[in-house]
Amino acid sequence: MTKIDFQPMPKRFMVWDKVHNIMSSPVELAGLPSLRPDLFDNTSQAKDNIIVVQSTNLFDKDGKEIFEGSILETMTGVKLYVFQEDHKWVTRTAVAELSFELDEIDMAYGNYKAIGHILSNPELMEESSV
Protein backbone atom coordinates (compact mmCIF):
# COMPACT_ATOMS: atom_id res chain seq x y z
CA MET A 1 0.00 0.00 0.00
CA THR A 2 1.32 3.44 -0.97
CA LYS A 3 1.58 5.95 1.84
CA ILE A 4 0.04 9.31 0.97
CA ASP A 5 1.98 12.27 2.30
CA PHE A 6 -0.88 14.68 3.00
CA GLN A 7 0.14 18.34 3.23
CA PRO A 8 -2.71 20.58 4.36
CA MET A 9 -3.11 23.84 2.52
CA PRO A 10 -2.20 26.82 4.68
CA LYS A 11 -5.09 29.03 5.71
CA ARG A 12 -4.64 32.51 4.32
CA PHE A 13 -6.51 35.59 5.42
CA MET A 14 -6.81 39.31 4.85
CA VAL A 15 -7.88 41.86 7.45
CA TRP A 16 -10.23 44.78 6.77
CA ASP A 17 -9.41 47.70 9.06
CA LYS A 18 -12.78 49.43 9.65
CA VAL A 19 -11.13 52.45 11.26
CA HIS A 20 -8.85 53.30 8.33
CA ASN A 21 -10.86 51.56 5.55
CA ILE A 22 -7.91 49.54 4.27
CA MET A 23 -7.39 45.88 3.45
CA SER A 24 -4.19 44.10 4.42
CA SER A 25 -2.16 41.96 2.07
CA PRO A 26 -2.87 38.22 2.28
CA VAL A 27 -1.07 36.45 5.15
CA GLU A 28 -1.18 33.08 6.86
CA LEU A 29 -3.02 32.89 10.16
CA ALA A 30 0.14 33.14 12.28
CA GLY A 31 1.01 36.46 10.63
CA LEU A 32 -2.26 38.26 11.36
CA PRO A 33 -1.33 39.92 14.68
CA SER A 34 1.90 41.31 13.23
CA LEU A 35 -0.05 43.30 10.61
CA ARG A 36 -1.54 45.72 13.11
CA PRO A 37 -0.71 44.77 16.71
CA ASP A 38 -2.96 47.57 18.00
CA LEU A 39 -5.96 45.87 16.40
CA PHE A 40 -5.16 42.54 18.03
CA ASP A 41 -4.94 43.55 21.66
CA ASN A 42 -7.44 42.02 24.06
CA THR A 43 -9.97 44.82 24.09
CA SER A 44 -13.38 44.31 22.55
CA GLN A 45 -13.06 47.70 20.86
CA ALA A 46 -10.00 46.50 18.93
CA LYS A 47 -11.83 43.34 17.81
CA ASP A 48 -14.76 45.45 16.64
CA ASN A 49 -12.42 47.43 14.39
CA ILE A 50 -11.47 44.54 12.09
CA ILE A 51 -13.06 41.98 9.81
CA VAL A 52 -11.02 38.88 8.96
CA VAL A 53 -11.73 37.28 5.56
CA GLN A 54 -10.51 33.83 4.52
CA SER A 55 -9.02 32.68 1.23
CA THR A 56 -11.04 30.22 -0.85
CA ASN A 57 -7.73 28.68 -2.05
CA LEU A 58 -8.99 29.36 -5.57
CA PHE A 59 -7.60 31.80 -8.11
CA ASP A 60 -9.17 33.74 -10.96
CA LYS A 61 -8.17 33.53 -14.62
CA ASP A 62 -5.27 35.95 -14.00
CA GLY A 63 -3.97 34.02 -10.98
CA LYS A 64 -5.38 36.46 -8.41
CA GLU A 65 -6.34 34.82 -5.12
CA ILE A 66 -10.07 34.82 -4.32
CA PHE A 67 -11.18 35.61 -0.77
CA GLU A 68 -14.45 35.62 1.11
CA GLY A 69 -16.12 38.85 -0.03
CA SER A 70 -14.26 39.02 -3.35
CA ILE A 71 -16.26 40.47 -6.21
CA LEU A 72 -16.00 38.41 -9.39
CA GLU A 73 -17.03 39.35 -12.88
CA THR A 74 -18.05 36.64 -15.34
CA MET A 75 -17.23 36.65 -19.04
CA THR A 76 -20.76 37.94 -19.67
CA GLY A 77 -20.33 40.90 -17.29
CA VAL A 78 -22.36 39.51 -14.37
CA LYS A 79 -20.90 40.55 -11.00
CA LEU A 80 -20.97 38.14 -8.08
CA TYR A 81 -19.63 38.22 -4.54
CA VAL A 82 -18.14 35.22 -2.72
CA PHE A 83 -19.23 33.96 0.70
CA GLN A 84 -19.37 30.72 2.64
CA GLU A 85 -22.61 28.78 3.02
CA ASP A 86 -22.96 25.26 4.42
CA HIS A 87 -19.16 24.81 4.37
CA LYS A 88 -18.98 25.61 0.64
CA TRP A 89 -17.80 28.71 -1.19
CA VAL A 90 -20.70 30.15 -3.15
CA THR A 91 -21.42 33.28 -5.15
CA ARG A 92 -24.46 35.52 -5.33
CA THR A 93 -25.45 38.43 -7.53
CA ALA A 94 -26.42 41.78 -6.04
CA VAL A 95 -30.01 41.66 -7.20
CA ALA A 96 -30.93 37.97 -7.30
CA GLU A 97 -31.30 35.72 -4.29
CA LEU A 98 -29.70 32.89 -6.26
CA SER A 99 -26.55 31.23 -4.96
CA PHE A 100 -24.09 29.39 -7.16
CA GLU A 101 -21.32 27.11 -5.88
CA LEU A 102 -17.89 28.49 -6.72
CA ASP A 103 -16.64 25.76 -9.00
CA GLU A 104 -12.97 24.95 -9.48
CA ILE A 105 -13.66 23.86 -13.05
CA ASP A 106 -15.07 27.27 -13.93
CA MET A 107 -12.03 28.87 -12.29
CA ALA A 108 -9.67 26.68 -14.35
CA TYR A 109 -11.37 27.68 -17.60
CA GLY A 110 -11.13 31.36 -16.77
CA ASN A 111 -14.79 32.18 -16.40
CA TYR A 112 -14.23 34.60 -13.50
CA LYS A 113 -12.07 37.62 -12.86
CA ALA A 114 -11.59 39.10 -9.38
CA ILE A 115 -12.27 42.84 -9.70
CA GLY A 116 -12.47 43.96 -6.07
CA HIS A 117 -13.76 43.21 -2.61
CA ILE A 118 -17.19 43.89 -1.13
CA LEU A 119 -15.64 45.73 1.85
CA SER A 120 -13.30 48.01 -0.08
CA ASN A 121 -15.30 48.33 -3.33
CA PRO A 122 -19.04 47.99 -2.52
CA GLU A 123 -19.88 50.31 -5.41
CA LEU A 124 -18.87 47.54 -7.84
CA MET A 125 -21.89 45.49 -6.77
CA GLU A 126 -24.17 48.53 -7.03
CA GLU A 127 -23.01 48.99 -10.63
CA SER A 128 -23.91 45.38 -11.44
CA SER A 129 -25.66 44.95 -14.76
CA VAL A 130 -27.83 42.12 -13.46
Side-chain angles (χ1 to χ4, degrees), residues 30-114:
L32 284 179
S34 64
L35 288 173
R36 291 285 310 274
D38 58 312
L39 295 177
F40 283 88
D41 63 21
N42 289 326
T43 67
S44 61
Q45 181 182 3
K47 292 175 185 167
D48 290 341
N49 291 336
I50 63 169
I51 298 173
V52 178
V53 294
Q54 182 179 343
S55 173
T56 64
N57 291 324
L58 298 173
F59 297 84
D60 75 355
K61 67 179 188 167
D62 298 326
K64 187 172 181 179
E65 192 168 10
I66 297 173
F67 284 82
E68 177 181 14
S70 287
I71 298 172
L72 308 177
E73 186 170 38
T74 67
M75 293 171 50
T76 58
V78 175
K79 293 178 184 166
L80 311 158
Y81 66 95
V82 177
F83 64 101
Q84 197 172 50
E85 182 178 82
D86 297 326
H87 306 288
K88 297 177 188 172
W89 292 109
V90 295
T91 60
R92 182 173 288 156
T93 65
V95 295
E97 287 299 318
L98 301 172
S99 296
F100 305 95
E101 191 168 340
L102 190 59
D103 189 1
E104 288 182 293
I105 295 172
D106 285 337
M107 303 305 279
Y109 286 101
N111 291 336
Y112 299 101
K113 180 176 178 160

Side-chain angles (χ1 to χ4, degrees), residues 24-37:
S24 73
S25 299
V27 295
E28 290 185 21
L29 183 59
L32 284 179
S34 64
L35 288 173
R36 291 285 310 274

